[in-house]
C-alpha cells in the first residue's frame, strides 16, 4: 500500500449541493480489535438504515467506513424518494411477474414511510416533505408508454396513479403526463447525519477512516481492516454500494453508470415542490434523461436564501469510464433547464456520481450468493438507491434476526432472470470489449503532453501507465491496470479520478481506491521513474 500523499487542490472531486456547506461527518477510526453481533461495512443510506433497524432490535452493531459518514454516493444523490419505479412497473411485471411488481410497489412505499417516521421519531431536521411525482414525455413522444405504465402501476397496487392531460408546468410540454401521489423529498445528508446520531443513541458504534480489505470465514467470520485491525461478527453486511467482497458474480449482473447534476437558483415558489422525470432514455441505455426537484439553497452558494430556492436537474448518464465529456453534459443539462424553468443567475453546483444498474431492474439485497454464511449485501441501486437503501434496512434486519419477509425472493442476489439473458449478454460483451485497450498505444507519448491537473495513459513497453500531473507540475504514475480484474482505467477530467470502464471501480488521481469492487489502490509502476518535477 503506497504512502498517503496530501492531495493537491486541483485533485478535488466535484461537490454536490448538499456537500457545499461541509462534506461528510467523520468519526474516529477503529482503534482495537472488536467482537460484535453485526458488522456493517459502509456508512451510506443502505448501511445506516440496516444499522438503525438492528440496534433497535437490541443487536450490538459496528459500522465501518473508509471515509466519513455520507462520503459515498448518498452525499451525491438528488434524493427523489419514489415508489414510481424509474425502470417502469410494466418492465418489472414482464421480467419478474405481477406479484413481484406488487412487492416492488409495497416495498418502495414502505421505504418512503420509513424515512418519514424515522425523521419524525428521531427528530431529524432534514426537510422531509411529501410531494407529487410527475412522469412526462419529451416533445413529440407517443403517450402509449404512459398508458402501459399507468395500467401496470395500478395493477401493482398503486391505485391512484392518474393520467393528466398536461404536465403542471406549461414549459414541460403539451403531451399527457402521469401523476404519482405521495412521493417525497428531503435533504439526504441532513437525514444521514441525524440517522448516524440516532444509531449511536441506541448503542451502535460508527468508525470512519477504516477500510475493510478482506473477509475471512474460518474459524470465525472476521473482517480485516486498516491498521491490521479486525472485527469478529456473527453477521456481516457489505453496504459498500458496489460489493467489495464479491469478485465476479454480482458484477456481471449489474453495470456502473455516471450520472450528472446541477443546481441553480429559482425564486421561492416559482417551481412547485414535486418530483419530475421524463421518459427519455434511462441509464442502462446511455441517454439524455432528466430528473428535477427543488431544495434549499446552501449558505456557500452566495444566493439570498430567503427569496430563493435551488432547482436541481440531473441526467445525461453514461457508462463509467467510457466517456470523458462532463462539461458538455452539464452544459446540456443547463440549457435544457433554462428553457423550462425560471432560473435566476448562475449554476452554483455541478457534480456527478455513480449508479449501478441491475440487468433485471431490481436491487440485490440479501444473503451473499457465494462464500461464507452470515454475509449479506445490498447493491444494484438502479437510480433508486435511497428507497432501495431503506428497503435493505428492513429486509436485512429481518434476515439477520430470522424473521420471515415476503420481499426476500424478489431481492435475492442469487436470483436468475432468464428473461434478461439478452441484456446480460450485451452488457458483458461491452465489458469484454474494454479489455482491447491493452493493445492501444496510449493517449500521449510523453508526460510533457499532460497539462497541470490532467491525466493520460502512456505506453511503456508492455505496460500502460496512468500518469497524473498535479497543480504544481509534479507527475504521479501508477499502473493503469485495475486491481479488480485488470481493466484499463481512464482519466475522468471532471472528477480528477481514474475510472474503470469494466465494473466501475474508481481511484483518486494518485491511485487510491474510491469505489469498489476494487479494494486496493492502483499498483506502483515498477519500471517507471518515481514522481518527479517537470515544467
Ligand atoms: C447524482 C445522483 C442522483 C441520484 N438520485 C437518486 C434519487 O433521486 N433517488 C434515489 O433513490 N436514488 C438516487 N441516486 C442513487 C442513490 O443516491 C444511491 O444509490 C445511494 O445513495 C447509495 O447508497 P449506498 O449506501 O448503497 O452507498 P454509498 O452512499 O456510496 O455508501 C457506501 C459506503 O461504503 C464505503 N465503503 C466502500 N468500500 C469500503 C471498504 N472497502 N471499506 C470501508 N468502507 C467502504 C464508502 O466510503 C461509502 O461511504 C442518485 C445517485 C446519484 C449519484
Ligand atoms: S472494476 Fe472490474 S476490472 Fe476494473
Amino acid at each position: 500500500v503506497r504512502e498517503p500523499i496530501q492531495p493537491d487542490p486541483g485533485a478535488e472531486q466535484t461537490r454536490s449541493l448538499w456537500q457545499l456547506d461541509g462534506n461528510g461527518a467523520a468519526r474516529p477510526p477503529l482503534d482495537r480489535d472488536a467482537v460484535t453481533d453485526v458488522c456493517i461495512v459502509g456508512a451510506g443510506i443502505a448501511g445506516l438504515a440496516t444499522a438503525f433497524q438492528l440496534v433497535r432490535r437490541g443487536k450490538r452493531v459496528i459500522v465501518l467506513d473508509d471515509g466519513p459518514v455520507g462520503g459515498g454516493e448518498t452525499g451525491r444523490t438528488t434524493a427523489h424518494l419514489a415508489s414510481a419505479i424509474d425502470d417502469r412497473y410494466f418492465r418489472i411485471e414482464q421480467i419478474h411477474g405481477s406479484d413481484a411488481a406488487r412487492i416492488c410497489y409495497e416495498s418502495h412505499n414502505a421505504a418512503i414511510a420509513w424515512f418519514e417516521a424515522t425523521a419524525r421519531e428521531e427528530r431529524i431536521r432534514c426537510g422531509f416533505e411529501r410531494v407529487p411525482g410527475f412522469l412526462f414525455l419529451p416533445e413529440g413522444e407517443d403517450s402509449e408508454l404512459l398508458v402501459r405504465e399507468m395500467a401496470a402501476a395500478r395493477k401493482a397496487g398503486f391505485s391512484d396513479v392518474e393520467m393528466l392531460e398536461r404536465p403542471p408546468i406549461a414549459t414541460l410540454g403539451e403531451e399527457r403526463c402521469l401523476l404519482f401521489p405521495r412521493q417525497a423529498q428531503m435533504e439526504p445528508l441532513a437525514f444521514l447525519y441525524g440517522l448516524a446520531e440516532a444509531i449511536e443513541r441506541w448503542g451502535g458504534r460508527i468508525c470512519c477512516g477504516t477500510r475493510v480489505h478482506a473477509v475471512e470465514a474460518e474459524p470465525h467470520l472476521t473482517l480485516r481492516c486498516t491498521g491490521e485491525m479486525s472485527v469478529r461478527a456473527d453477521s456481516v453486511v457489505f453496504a459498500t454500494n458496489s460489493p467489495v467482497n464479491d469478485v465476479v458474480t454480482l458484477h456481471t449482473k449489474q453495470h456502473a453508470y455516471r450520472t450528472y447534476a446541477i443546481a441553480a437558483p429559482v425564486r421561492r415558489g416559482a417551481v412547485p415542490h414535486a418530483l419530475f422525470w421524463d421518459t427519455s432514455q434511462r441509464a442502462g441505455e446511455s441517454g439524455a434523461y432528466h430528473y428535477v426537484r427543488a431544495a434549499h439553497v446552501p449558505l456557500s452558494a452566495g444566493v439570498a436564501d430567503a427569496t430563493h430556492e435551488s432547482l436541481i436537474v440531473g441526467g445525461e448518464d453514461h457508462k463509467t469510464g467510457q466517456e470523458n465529456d462532463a462539461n458538455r453534459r452539464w452544459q446540456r443539462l443547463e440549457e435544457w433547464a433554462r428553457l423550462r424553468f425560471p432560473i435566476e443567475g448562475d449554476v452554483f453546483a455541478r457534480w456527478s456520481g455513480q449508479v449501478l444498474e441491475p440487468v433485471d431492474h431490481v436491487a440485490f439485497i440479501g444473503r451473499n450468493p457465494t462464500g461464507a454464511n452470515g454475509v449479506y449485501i445490498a447493491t444494484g441501486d438502479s437510480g433508486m438507491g435511497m428507497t432501495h437503501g431503506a428497503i435493505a434496512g428492513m429486509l436485512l434486519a429481518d434476515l439477520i434476526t430470522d424473521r420471515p419477509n415476503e420481499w426476500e425472493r424478489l431481492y435475492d442476489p442469487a436470483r436468475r432472470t432468464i428473461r434478461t439473458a439478452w441484456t446480460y449478454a450485451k452488457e458483458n460483451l461491452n465489458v469484454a470489449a474494454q479489455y482491447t485497450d491493452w493493445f492501444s498505444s496510449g493517449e500521449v507519448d510523453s508526460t510533457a503532453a499532460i497539462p497541470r491537473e490532467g491525466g493520460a495513459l502512456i505506453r511503456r513497453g508492455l505496460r500502460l501507465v496512468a500518469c497524473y500531473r498535479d497543480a504544481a507540475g509534479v507527475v504521479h504514475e501508477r499502473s493503469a491496470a485495475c486491481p479488480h480484474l485488470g481493466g484499463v482505467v481512464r482519466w475522468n477530467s471532471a472528477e480528477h479520478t481514474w475510472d474503470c470502464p469494466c465494473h466501475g471501480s474508481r481511484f483518486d488521481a494518485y491511485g487510491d481506491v474510491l469505489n469498489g469492487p476494487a479494494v486496493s489502490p492502483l499498483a506502483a509502476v515498477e519500471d517507471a521513474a518515481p514522481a518527479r518535477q517537470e515544467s
Side-chain angles (χ1 to χ4, degrees):
V1 178
R2 70 176 173 78
E3 288 298 306
I5 300 169
Q6 199 57 39
D8 69 278
E12 274 196 15
Q13 295 182 66
T14 58
R15 285 184 176 215
S16 73
L17 162 88
W18 328 107
Q19 293 168 328
L20 283 183
D21 289 338
N23 190 5
R27 303 286 194 281
L30 185 70
D31 55 359
R32 63 181 74 107
D33 293 348
V35 178
T36 187
D37 295 334
V38 185
C39 185
I40 296 171
V41 191
I45 188 60
L48 292 196
T50 308
F52 181 72
Q53 296 279 355
L54 287 165
V55 286
R56 298 215 16 189
R57 295 182 195 189
K59 291 283 179 192
R60 292 177 303 158
V61 176
I62 297 179
V63 181
L64 306 175
D65 199 296
D66 58 0
V69 170
E73 302 310 318
T74 307
R76 299 184 158 257
T77 188
T78 56
H80 293 54
L81 304 180
S83 54
I85 303 297
D86 67 352
D87 286 308
R88 316 283 172 249
Y89 277 105
F90 67 80
R91 289 204 188 102
I92 302 286
E93 188 188 329
Q94 241 169 20
I95 295 170
H96 300 276
S98 45
D99 210 38
R102 172 186 62 79
I103 289 173
C104 238
Y105 170 65
E106 288 174 4
S107 54
H108 283 274
N109 222 9
I112 301 175
W114 176 79
F115 281 110
E116 186 170 34
T118 307
R120 186 181 58 242
E121 287 163 16
E122 299 295 335
R123 298 174 196 274
I124 303 175
R125 294 181 57 185
C126 60
F128 179 96
E129 191 182 358
R130 287 279 184 172
V131 294
F134 298 96
L135 179 65
F136 64 97
L137 295 164
E139 202 175 319
E141 198 163 300
D142 195 303
S143 61
E144 168 58 23
L145 182 142
L146 298 186
V147 174
R148 278 180 85 189
E149 182 59 359
M150 183 170 75
R154 285 185 173 175
K155 192 170 159 196
F158 208 149
S159 55
D160 48 358
V161 174
E162 264 183 72
M163 183 77 79
L164 305 184
E165 281 313 306
R166 285 197 166 57
I169 300 177
T171 47
L172 293 182
E174 299 191 340
E175 314 292 340
R176 296 201 281 174
C177 101
L178 283 186
L179 161 62
F180 295 88
R182 299 181 315 284
Q183 309 299 284
Q185 61 180 25
M186 62 172 191
E187 294 171 26
L189 279 183
F191 180 83
L192 203 70
Y193 297 161
L195 189 61
E197 284 166 17
I199 290 164
E200 288 164 334
R201 276 199 303 277
W202 284 88
R205 186 172 163 205
I206 301 173
C207 302
C208 294
T210 307
R211 179 169 297 161
V212 172
H213 300 296
V215 54
E216 289 167 9
E218 300 292 341
H220 305 285
L221 204 49
T222 305
L223 291 169
R224 299 284 166 203
C225 322
T226 310
E228 308 288 305
M229 232 61 86
S230 70
V231 179
R232 200 172 116 187
D234 296 336
S235 309
V236 166
V237 176
F238 280 91
T240 48
N241 198 232
S242 177
V244 294
N245 57 317
D246 178 272
V247 179
V248 179
T249 316
L250 260 298
H251 305 292
T252 61
K253 301 208 279 187
Q254 63 180 9
H255 300 276
Y257 284 76
R258 301 298 297 165
T259 183
Y260 294 81
I262 58 171
V266 287
R267 199 156 282 277
R268 198 170 277 281
V271 177
H273 282 202
L275 310 182
F276 299 94
W277 313 265
D278 69 15
T279 59
S280 301
Q281 285 188 317
R282 278 280 305 119
E285 297 152 342
S286 271
Y289 179 52
H290 302 100
Y291 45 93
V292 182
R293 60 164 283 199
H296 80 295
V297 173
L299 287 176
S300 52
V303 178
D305 66 344
T307 49
H308 286 81
E309 291 183 306
S310 303
L311 180 79
I312 305 174
V313 180
E316 289 281 346
D317 308 8
H318 67 78
K319 281 198 112 170
T320 298
Q322 299 191 15
E323 309 285 344
N324 186 17
D325 57 354
N327 283 332
R328 281 204 349 243
R329 288 170 195 270
W330 284 319
Q331 184 65 36
R332 283 200 295 264
L333 284 178
E334 184 175 344
E335 284 164 9
W336 183 91
R338 284 191 190 277
L339 281 174
R340 290 164 179 81
F341 297 94
I343 292 174
E344 293 187 356
D346 294 336
V347 167
F348 57 79
R350 289 182 181 81
W351 69 99
S352 69
Q354 194 133 309
V355 292
L356 295 167
E357 289 291 333
V359 291
D360 63 2
H361 308 310
V362 173
F364 300 106
I365 303 167
R367 293 185 178 83
N368 193 45
T370 53
N373 286 335
V375 179
Y376 301 82
I377 56 169
T379 188
D381 49 47
S382 180
M384 298 191 69
M386 295 305 290
T387 39
H388 272 141
I391 291 168
M394 294 181 260
L395 176 51
L396 294 181
D398 281 351
L399 296 180
I400 289 168
T401 55
D402 288 326
R403 293 189 196 171
N405 188 312
E406 199 198 2
W407 307 344
E408 179 179 351
R409 220 170 118 211
L410 175 63
Y411 292 105
D412 184 0
R415 70 178 181 265
R416 283 171 195 214
T417 35
I418 305 297
R419 290 197 178 105
T420 52
W422 164 238
T423 318
Y424 180 89
K426 194 177 70 171
E427 288 282 4
N428 286 296
L429 278 172
N430 173 288
V431 171
Q434 306 311 314
Y435 286 92
T436 57
D437 276 8
W438 279 114
F439 304 107
S440 77
S441 55
E443 292 164 324
V444 292
D445 293 333
S446 101
T447 54
I450 303 173
R452 287 177 191 233
E453 298 175 41
L457 298 179
I458 295 187
R459 176 158 294 281
R460 296 229 180 93
L462 290 177
R463 296 175 198 279
L464 275 175
V465 181
C467 303
Y468 165 65
R469 184 192 290 278
D470 70 20
V474 179
V475 176
H476 305 268
E477 301 186 342
R478 311 299 293 178
S479 163
C482 171
H484 174 228
L485 289 173
V488 178
V489 295
R490 295 181 193 166
W491 181 243
N492 177 337
S493 53
E495 299 291 351
H496 294 101
T497 54
W498 296 102
D499 297 357
C500 181
C502 294
H503 314 99
S505 291
R506 297 177 63 247
F507 307 84
D508 72 13
Y510 308 96
D512 202 3
V513 65
L514 294 169
N515 286 70
V519 279
S520 52
L522 295 177
V525 189
E526 284 148 29
D527 64 348
R532 59 188 184 275
Q533 184 79 39
E534 293 186 14
S535 58

